[in-house]
Amino acid sequence: MQLGKTQTVTATATSGLTVTYSSSDNNFLTVDANGKITAVGIGRAIITASQAGNYKYNAASITKEYTVWNKNTPIFTPNGFNEANVCHLKVGDKVTLEVLNVSDGLSGDFKVNTDNNILGITRNGNTITIEALNAGTADAIFTQTENYDIFGAEKKYQFSVSKINNTLAIASSSYTKYVDDEIKNIISSMNSDAAITTSSSDATIAYYDVTKNKIFIPNSEAKSFSSQAITITIAQAETYKYTAAEKTITLTVNKYTPTFTWNAGNATYYYLSSIPNIFSTTNPDCQYTIVSDHEQVAKVIDNTLHIYNVEETANITVTQEENYKWYGKTETYTITPANPNN
């Protein structure tokens, strides 16, 4: 008998005499005059039904042994979630469920039923760990089948698992740079382990290097442009754990503009004079040409201006061609020679 339970036994005698009941140990079982037995303590006791006998009938009795036991009630204590509400987790999150008075393991009399693709469930002693494996929804149903010492019980918990938001971040979404520049530390932070993919609207002018986390601006095909807008995308694909992410960088690429210097300053151009080092440019990469439209008046030889005639003027035109890094430029200087005798 289970502790605290009662049951009634009925014994009759063919003699018709009164039957009385007794317990061998009232610490475990008690019995009243009507044969009602009450289990009051865990242990064993014998219930005896007797008739005393009389002048005609002998005394007689019958016995039955009882074992009093107590069943345990399963106890489930979830940490941070409950049966009434859906438990929201991110992939990789873990929650625990403490259990008492249940069978060992996670099979047999005590078992769990769930979608193993979404939830991973392990047990260590009285602690059950529920881990979010993949995005989706799943129920975790824990069932204790009643047996000789444990009451039956069932608990159902609902879970919704979502992916972790990708935190891919870039230092800036807009730059203005020159050819041959580089921009360091483009990606400032990220949490996903997904591979980085990248694209450029014109990779010959500018592109992102994943391994170096830099943008390079080579203009490798020496394209001609005045100011070029390049769009660079950096992305991570969705994984089982993280959402996808994409960042866009707008890069304005310029070339350098050379500065010409006509080194004559405010000097007077005198007939039959020469001025050395007449011209300089800030662009050291490109050759320049110097052409006079009236060489009988003035012309430049080895960067020295020679003045020949005072009767007319000459236009000296300096040209530097555009290359991959520098804009081209042309300037014209007018030479009006003066007679030193005037």
Side-chain angles (χ1 to χ4, degrees), residues 90-139:
K90 296 287 188 181
V91 174
D93 286 351
K94 295 179 181 180
V95 293
T96 58
L97 172 69
E98 300 297 327
V99 293
L100 292 174
N101 303 330
V102 299
S103 301
D104 293 336
L106 283 173
S107 61
D109 286 348
F110 181 67
K111 60 185 177 182
V112 61
N113 181 32
T114 191
D115 186 336
N116 295 321
N117 290 320
I118 296 175
L119 299 177
I121 300 178
T122 57
R123 180 177 179 181
N124 183 13
N126 292 329
T127 301
I128 293 174
T129 300
I130 303 167
E131 180 179 4
L133 301 179
N134 287 290
T137 59
D139 295 336

Short mmCIF file of all heavy atoms in Angstrom, two decimals, residues 90-139:
data_model
loop_
_atom_site.label_atom_id
_atom_site.label_comp_id
_atom_site.label_asym_id
_atom_site.label_seq_id
_atom_site.Cartn_x
_atom_site.Cartn_y
_atom_site.Cartn_z
N LYS A 90 18.48 32.39 -28.93
CA LYS A 90 19.32 32.56 -30.10
C LYS A 90 20.14 31.28 -30.27
O LYS A 90 20.41 30.56 -29.30
CB LYS A 90 20.26 33.75 -29.95
CG LYS A 90 19.56 35.10 -29.84
CD LYS A 90 18.97 35.54 -31.16
CE LYS A 90 18.45 36.97 -31.09
NZ LYS A 90 17.85 37.40 -32.38
N VAL A 91 20.50 30.99 -31.52
CA VAL A 91 21.32 29.80 -31.77
C VAL A 91 22.58 29.87 -30.90
O VAL A 91 23.26 30.89 -30.85
CB VAL A 91 21.71 29.70 -33.25
CG1 VAL A 91 22.69 28.55 -33.47
CG2 VAL A 91 20.47 29.51 -34.11
N GLY A 92 22.85 28.79 -30.19
CA GLY A 92 24.00 28.75 -29.29
C GLY A 92 23.65 28.99 -27.84
O GLY A 92 24.43 28.68 -26.93
N ASP A 93 22.46 29.58 -27.58
CA ASP A 93 22.04 29.80 -26.20
C ASP A 93 21.75 28.47 -25.50
O ASP A 93 21.39 27.48 -26.13
CB ASP A 93 20.76 30.65 -26.15
CG ASP A 93 21.03 32.12 -26.45
OD1 ASP A 93 22.21 32.50 -26.52
OD2 ASP A 93 20.04 32.86 -26.62
N LYS A 94 21.88 28.50 -24.17
CA LYS A 94 21.57 27.32 -23.36
C LYS A 94 20.73 27.74 -22.16
O LYS A 94 20.95 28.80 -21.58
CB LYS A 94 22.85 26.64 -22.86
CG LYS A 94 23.73 26.06 -23.95
CD LYS A 94 24.99 25.43 -23.36
CE LYS A 94 25.89 24.86 -24.45
NZ LYS A 94 27.12 24.25 -23.88
N VAL A 95 19.78 26.90 -21.81
CA VAL A 95 19.01 27.05 -20.58
C VAL A 95 19.02 25.71 -19.86
O VAL A 95 19.29 24.66 -20.45
CB VAL A 95 17.56 27.52 -20.83
CG1 VAL A 95 17.53 28.93 -21.37
CG2 VAL A 95 16.84 26.57 -21.78
N THR A 96 18.72 25.74 -18.56
CA THR A 96 18.76 24.50 -17.78
C THR A 96 17.42 24.25 -17.10
O THR A 96 16.66 25.17 -16.80
CB THR A 96 19.87 24.53 -16.73
OG1 THR A 96 19.68 25.67 -15.86
CG2 THR A 96 21.24 24.61 -17.39
N LEU A 97 17.18 22.98 -16.85
CA LEU A 97 15.98 22.50 -16.17
C LEU A 97 16.43 21.56 -15.06
O LEU A 97 17.11 20.56 -15.32
CB LEU A 97 15.07 21.77 -17.16
CG LEU A 97 13.85 21.04 -16.61
CD1 LEU A 97 12.83 22.04 -16.09
CD2 LEU A 97 13.22 20.15 -17.68
N GLU A 98 16.08 21.91 -13.83
CA GLU A 98 16.42 21.04 -12.71
C GLU A 98 15.27 20.06 -12.47
O GLU A 98 14.09 20.46 -12.47
CB GLU A 98 16.66 21.87 -11.44
CG GLU A 98 17.78 22.89 -11.54
CD GLU A 98 19.13 22.25 -11.78
OE1 GLU A 98 19.37 21.13 -11.27
OE2 GLU A 98 19.96 22.85 -12.49
N VAL A 99 15.62 18.77 -12.30
CA VAL A 99 14.59 17.74 -12.09
C VAL A 99 14.91 16.98 -10.81
O VAL A 99 16.07 16.71 -10.50
CB VAL A 99 14.51 16.78 -13.29
CG1 VAL A 99 14.01 17.49 -14.52
CG2 VAL A 99 15.85 16.11 -13.57
N LEU A 100 13.85 16.64 -10.08
CA LEU A 100 13.96 15.80 -8.88
C LEU A 100 12.89 14.73 -8.95
O LEU A 100 11.82 14.90 -9.53
CB LEU A 100 13.77 16.63 -7.61
CG LEU A 100 14.87 17.65 -7.26
CD1 LEU A 100 14.45 18.48 -6.05
CD2 LEU A 100 16.19 16.93 -6.99
N ASN A 101 13.19 13.60 -8.33
CA ASN A 101 12.25 12.48 -8.23
C ASN A 101 11.83 11.96 -9.60
O ASN A 101 10.66 11.72 -9.86
CB ASN A 101 11.01 12.89 -7.42
CG ASN A 101 11.35 13.39 -6.04
OD1 ASN A 101 12.34 12.97 -5.45
ND2 ASN A 101 10.54 14.29 -5.51
N VAL A 102 12.80 11.83 -10.48
CA VAL A 102 12.56 11.20 -11.78
C VAL A 102 13.60 10.11 -11.98
O VAL A 102 14.64 10.08 -11.31
CB VAL A 102 12.62 12.22 -12.94
CG1 VAL A 102 11.56 13.28 -12.79
CG2 VAL A 102 14.00 12.84 -13.06
N SER A 103 13.32 9.23 -12.91
CA SER A 103 14.25 8.13 -13.18
C SER A 103 15.54 8.66 -13.81
O SER A 103 15.60 9.77 -14.33
CB SER A 103 13.60 7.11 -14.13
OG SER A 103 12.42 6.59 -13.56
N ASP A 104 16.58 7.83 -13.76
CA ASP A 104 17.86 8.22 -14.34
C ASP A 104 17.78 8.29 -15.86
O ASP A 104 16.94 7.67 -16.49
CB ASP A 104 18.94 7.21 -13.93
CG ASP A 104 19.23 7.27 -12.43
OD1 ASP A 104 18.96 8.32 -11.82
OD2 ASP A 104 19.69 6.25 -11.89
N GLY A 105 18.73 9.05 -16.43
CA GLY A 105 18.86 9.09 -17.88
C GLY A 105 17.81 9.93 -18.56
O GLY A 105 17.04 10.67 -17.94
N LEU A 106 17.77 9.79 -19.88
CA LEU A 106 16.77 10.48 -20.70
C LEU A 106 16.04 9.49 -21.59
O LEU A 106 15.62 9.81 -22.69
CB LEU A 106 17.45 11.55 -21.56
CG LEU A 106 17.83 12.86 -20.86
CD1 LEU A 106 18.64 13.74 -21.79
CD2 LEU A 106 16.61 13.60 -20.36
N SER A 107 15.91 8.28 -21.12
CA SER A 107 15.15 7.25 -21.84
C SER A 107 14.57 6.30 -20.80
O SER A 107 14.86 6.41 -19.61
CB SER A 107 16.07 6.50 -22.82
OG SER A 107 17.12 5.86 -22.13
N GLY A 108 13.78 5.39 -21.23
CA GLY A 108 13.14 4.48 -20.28
C GLY A 108 11.95 5.13 -19.61
O GLY A 108 11.12 5.75 -20.27
N ASP A 109 11.88 5.02 -18.27
CA ASP A 109 10.75 5.60 -17.55
C ASP A 109 10.73 7.13 -17.63
O ASP A 109 9.67 7.74 -17.53
CB ASP A 109 10.79 5.17 -16.08
CG ASP A 109 10.40 3.72 -15.90
OD1 ASP A 109 9.87 3.13 -16.85
OD2 ASP A 109 10.61 3.18 -14.80
N PHE A 110 11.91 7.75 -17.78
CA PHE A 110 11.98 9.21 -17.94
C PHE A 110 12.63 9.51 -19.28
O PHE A 110 13.76 9.12 -19.55
CB PHE A 110 12.79 9.85 -16.81
CG PHE A 110 12.88 11.34 -16.91
CD1 PHE A 110 11.74 12.13 -16.74
CD2 PHE A 110 14.07 11.97 -17.19
CE1 PHE A 110 11.81 13.51 -16.84
CE2 PHE A 110 14.15 13.36 -17.29
CZ PHE A 110 13.01 14.12 -17.11
N LYS A 111 11.90 10.20 -20.15
CA LYS A 111 12.44 10.45 -21.48
C LYS A 111 11.98 11.80 -21.98
O LYS A 111 11.07 12.43 -21.43
CB LYS A 111 12.00 9.35 -22.45
CG LYS A 111 10.50 9.21 -22.62
CD LYS A 111 10.17 8.02 -23.50
CE LYS A 111 8.66 7.82 -23.63
NZ LYS A 111 8.34 6.63 -24.45
N VAL A 112 12.65 12.25 -23.06
CA VAL A 112 12.32 13.53 -23.67
C VAL A 112 12.01 13.32 -25.14
O VAL A 112 12.62 12.49 -25.81
CB VAL A 112 13.49 14.53 -23.49
CG1 VAL A 112 14.76 14.03 -24.16
CG2 VAL A 112 13.12 15.90 -24.05
N ASN A 113 11.05 14.09 -25.61
CA ASN A 113 10.68 14.06 -27.03
C ASN A 113 10.80 15.49 -27.57
O ASN A 113 10.17 16.42 -27.07
CB ASN A 113 9.26 13.54 -27.20
CG ASN A 113 8.85 13.47 -28.66
OD1 ASN A 113 9.68 13.22 -29.52
ND2 ASN A 113 7.58 13.69 -28.93
N THR A 114 11.64 15.67 -28.61
CA THR A 114 11.83 17.00 -29.18
C THR A 114 12.37 16.87 -30.59
O THR A 114 12.66 15.77 -31.07
CB THR A 114 12.79 17.85 -28.32
OG1 THR A 114 12.74 19.20 -28.77
CG2 THR A 114 14.22 17.32 -28.41
N ASP A 115 12.49 18.00 -31.29
CA ASP A 115 13.13 18.04 -32.61
C ASP A 115 14.63 18.23 -32.38
O ASP A 115 15.10 19.32 -32.04
CB ASP A 115 12.56 19.20 -33.42
CG ASP A 115 13.09 19.22 -34.86
OD1 ASP A 115 14.18 18.67 -35.10
OD2 ASP A 115 12.40 19.78 -35.73
N ASN A 116 15.39 17.17 -32.60
CA ASN A 116 16.81 17.20 -32.30
C ASN A 116 17.61 18.08 -33.25
O ASN A 116 18.79 18.36 -33.00
CB ASN A 116 17.39 15.78 -32.33
CG ASN A 116 16.80 14.91 -31.23
OD1 ASN A 116 16.59 15.38 -30.12
ND2 ASN A 116 16.51 13.66 -31.53
N ASN A 117 17.01 18.50 -34.36
CA ASN A 117 17.70 19.44 -35.25
C ASN A 117 17.70 20.85 -34.68
O ASN A 117 18.57 21.66 -35.01
CB ASN A 117 17.05 19.45 -36.64
CG ASN A 117 17.29 18.17 -37.40
OD1 ASN A 117 18.39 17.61 -37.34
ND2 ASN A 117 16.28 17.69 -38.09
N ILE A 118 16.72 21.14 -33.84
CA ILE A 118 16.59 22.49 -33.30
C ILE A 118 17.11 22.56 -31.86
O ILE A 118 17.77 23.53 -31.49
CB ILE A 118 15.12 22.93 -33.37
CG1 ILE A 118 14.69 23.03 -34.85
CG2 ILE A 118 14.90 24.26 -32.66
CD1 ILE A 118 13.24 23.34 -35.05
N LEU A 119 16.83 21.53 -31.08
CA LEU A 119 17.24 21.54 -29.67
C LEU A 119 18.14 20.34 -29.38
O LEU A 119 17.85 19.22 -29.80
CB LEU A 119 16.02 21.48 -28.75
CG LEU A 119 15.02 22.64 -28.84
CD1 LEU A 119 13.84 22.37 -27.90
CD2 LEU A 119 15.68 23.97 -28.48
N GLY A 120 19.20 20.61 -28.66
CA GLY A 120 20.05 19.54 -28.14
C GLY A 120 19.84 19.44 -26.64
O GLY A 120 19.90 20.45 -25.93
N ILE A 121 19.55 18.23 -26.15
CA ILE A 121 19.22 18.06 -24.74
C ILE A 121 20.14 17.03 -24.12
O ILE A 121 20.25 15.90 -24.62
CB ILE A 121 17.74 17.66 -24.57
CG1 ILE A 121 16.84 18.76 -25.15
CG2 ILE A 121 17.40 17.42 -23.10
CD1 ILE A 121 15.36 18.48 -25.08
N THR A 122 20.81 17.42 -23.04
CA THR A 122 21.70 16.52 -22.31
C THR A 122 21.35 16.59 -20.83
O THR A 122 20.75 17.56 -20.36
CB THR A 122 23.17 16.90 -22.52
OG1 THR A 122 23.37 18.27 -22.12
CG2 THR A 122 23.57 16.74 -23.99
N ARG A 123 21.78 15.54 -20.11
CA ARG A 123 21.49 15.49 -18.69
C ARG A 123 22.74 15.15 -17.92
O ARG A 123 23.51 14.26 -18.30
CB ARG A 123 20.40 14.45 -18.38
CG ARG A 123 20.05 14.36 -16.89
CD ARG A 123 18.93 13.40 -16.62
NE ARG A 123 18.64 13.31 -15.20
CZ ARG A 123 17.73 12.53 -14.65
NH1 ARG A 123 16.98 11.75 -15.44
NH2 ARG A 123 17.54 12.50 -13.35
N ASN A 124 22.96 15.87 -16.83
CA ASN A 124 24.05 15.58 -15.91
C ASN A 124 23.48 15.62 -14.50
O ASN A 124 23.26 16.67 -13.93
CB ASN A 124 25.16 16.62 -16.07
CG ASN A 124 26.36 16.33 -15.17
OD1 ASN A 124 26.47 15.25 -14.61
ND2 ASN A 124 27.25 17.30 -15.06
N GLY A 125 23.21 14.42 -13.96
CA GLY A 125 22.57 14.35 -12.64
C GLY A 125 21.17 14.89 -12.70
O GLY A 125 20.34 14.45 -13.51
N ASN A 126 20.90 15.85 -11.86
CA ASN A 126 19.56 16.45 -11.82
C ASN A 126 19.42 17.67 -12.72
O ASN A 126 18.38 18.31 -12.73
CB ASN A 126 19.21 16.85 -10.37
CG ASN A 126 19.02 15.66 -9.47
OD1 ASN A 126 18.59 14.60 -9.92
ND2 ASN A 126 19.36 15.81 -8.20
N THR A 127 20.48 18.00 -13.49
CA THR A 127 20.46 19.17 -14.35
C THR A 127 20.33 18.75 -15.80
O THR A 127 21.15 17.99 -16.31
CB THR A 127 21.72 20.03 -14.17
OG1 THR A 127 21.81 20.45 -12.80
CG2 THR A 127 21.68 21.25 -15.07
N ILE A 128 19.31 19.25 -16.47
CA ILE A 128 19.11 19.02 -17.90
C ILE A 128 19.45 20.31 -18.63
O ILE A 128 18.94 21.38 -18.28
CB ILE A 128 17.68 18.58 -18.21
CG1 ILE A 128 17.41 17.19 -17.60
CG2 ILE A 128 17.42 18.56 -19.71
CD1 ILE A 128 15.99 16.72 -17.72
N THR A 129 20.32 20.22 -19.62
CA THR A 129 20.71 21.39 -20.40
C THR A 129 20.04 21.33 -21.77
O THR A 129 20.11 20.31 -22.46
CB THR A 129 22.24 21.44 -20.58
OG1 THR A 129 22.85 21.53 -19.28
CG2 THR A 129 22.64 22.67 -21.41
N ILE A 130 19.39 22.43 -22.14
CA ILE A 130 18.71 22.55 -23.43
C ILE A 130 19.47 23.59 -24.24
O ILE A 130 19.56 24.75 -23.84
CB ILE A 130 17.24 22.97 -23.25
CG1 ILE A 130 16.52 21.96 -22.33
CG2 ILE A 130 16.55 23.09 -24.59
CD1 ILE A 130 15.17 22.44 -21.85
N GLU A 131 20.03 23.17 -25.37
CA GLU A 131 20.84 24.07 -26.20
C GLU A 131 20.14 24.31 -27.53
O GLU A 131 19.64 23.39 -28.17
CB GLU A 131 22.22 23.47 -26.45
CG GLU A 131 23.12 24.36 -27.31
CD GLU A 131 24.49 23.79 -27.54
OE1 GLU A 131 24.74 22.65 -27.09
OE2 GLU A 131 25.33 24.48 -28.16
N ALA A 132 20.12 25.59 -27.95
CA ALA A 132 19.53 25.96 -29.24
C ALA A 132 20.55 25.67 -30.34
O ALA A 132 21.62 26.27 -30.38
CB ALA A 132 19.15 27.43 -29.24
N LEU A 133 20.21 24.73 -31.24
CA LEU A 133 21.15 24.30 -32.28
C LEU A 133 20.92 25.01 -33.61
O LEU A 133 21.87 25.38 -34.29
CB LEU A 133 21.03 22.79 -32.49
CG LEU A 133 21.31 21.90 -31.27
CD1 LEU A 133 21.12 20.44 -31.64
CD2 LEU A 133 22.71 22.14 -30.73
N ASN A 134 19.67 25.16 -33.99
CA ASN A 134 19.33 25.77 -35.28
C ASN A 134 18.05 26.58 -35.13
O ASN A 134 17.26 26.35 -34.21
CB ASN A 134 19.14 24.70 -36.36
CG ASN A 134 20.44 24.07 -36.80
OD1 ASN A 134 21.26 24.69 -37.45
ND2 ASN A 134 20.65 22.81 -36.42
N ALA A 135 17.84 27.50 -36.05
CA ALA A 135 16.64 28.33 -36.00
C ALA A 135 15.39 27.49 -36.28
O ALA A 135 15.42 26.57 -37.09
CB ALA A 135 16.75 29.47 -37.00
N GLY A 136 14.31 27.82 -35.59
CA GLY A 136 13.04 27.12 -35.77
C GLY A 136 12.28 27.08 -34.46
O GLY A 136 12.67 27.71 -33.47
N THR A 137 11.18 26.36 -34.46
CA THR A 137 10.39 26.18 -33.24
C THR A 137 10.33 24.70 -32.90
O THR A 137 10.29 23.85 -33.78
CB THR A 137 8.96 26.73 -33.40
OG1 THR A 137 8.32 26.05 -34.50
CG2 THR A 137 8.99 28.23 -33.67
N ALA A 138 10.31 24.41 -31.61
CA ALA A 138 10.27 23.02 -31.16
C ALA A 138 9.73 22.96 -29.74
O ALA A 138 9.92 23.89 -28.95
CB ALA A 138 11.65 22.38 -31.22
N ASP A 139 9.04 21.88 -29.44
CA ASP A 139 8.60 21.59 -28.08
C ASP A 139 9.57 20.60 -27.46
O ASP A 139 10.09 19.71 -28.15
CB ASP A 139 7.20 21.00 -28.06
CG ASP A 139 6.15 21.97 -28.56
OD1 ASP A 139 6.40 23.19 -28.48
OD2 ASP A 139 5.09 21.52 -29.04
#
